[in-house]
Amino acid sequence: MTVSNAAPPSTVRISLSNDLGTIAFARMVIRSLMPSLDESQEPLFYGALTEIVTNAIVEHQRIQTEADVEITVVTGAEALIKVTDSGTGFDPDAERTSEDDSGLGLMISRTVVPGLDIDSGPSGTTVTLPYPGVGE
């Protein structure tokens, strides 16, 4: 895993290997960069972030790629976090059925992070999570 500051100065990129053990460190770095959340928002936001990063790493493991999962943290007035993988993509608007638990965590993440955006295609997926309370 690498962490680097990039231009503009309010952007930090975190590259995660395909090891689920790297998620806790990434969360720690993100918490140190972002404003504190209240006790009701914090577990919901970071739970959603953890679910999305886990999905990306599991997809990389499934397709056996050595590519890193990239997390971009943007601070300031337009604070957000982007998680990008190099997986095979999926239809983010597909209906989920009760027999299919795939996508359940993403559905919950959409509920607890208003404005969550998913851009997915055959060369990967980027999920953008607006940071709560910033720019509202």
Side-chain angles (χ1 to χ4, degrees), residues 58-105:
V58 167
E59 173 66 2
H60 277 201
Q61 291 172 344
R62 185 186 70 77
I63 65 171
Q64 299 179 353
T65 182
E66 295 297 318
D68 288 340
V69 170
E70 301 292 332
I71 301 174
T72 304
V73 181
V74 179
T75 61
E78 301 294 322
L80 58 84
I81 298 171
K82 288 187 178 190
V83 179
T84 303
D85 69 43
S86 302
T88 57
F90 65 98
D91 180 358
D93 298 319
E95 283 290 319
R96 303 291 178 219
T97 65
S98 59
E99 292 117 27
D100 178 18
D101 66 351
S102 174
L104 184 60

Side-chain angles (χ1 to χ4, degrees), residues 38 68 94 131 136:
D38 69 38
D68 288 340
Y131 199 73
E136 294 179 351

Side-chain angles (χ1 to χ4, degrees), residues 4-15:
S4 64
N5 283 326
S10 60
T11 300
V12 174
R13 289 186 178 79
I14 304 167
S15 298

Side-chain angles (χ1 to χ4, degrees), residues 17-40:
S17 66
N18 297 325
D19 176 357
L20 293 171
T22 61
I23 296 172
F25 181 75
R27 269 195 328 253
M28 183 184 71
V29 170
I30 293 166
R31 277 191 171 110
S32 74
L33 295 169
M34 303 303 270
S36 296
L37 295 174
D38 69 38
E39 62 186 39
S40 65

Side-chain angles (χ1 to χ4, degrees), residues 115-133:
L116 184 143
D117 182 65
I118 303 168
D119 181 23
S120 188
S123 61
T125 299
T126 297
V127 179
T128 303
L129 300 93
Y131 199 73

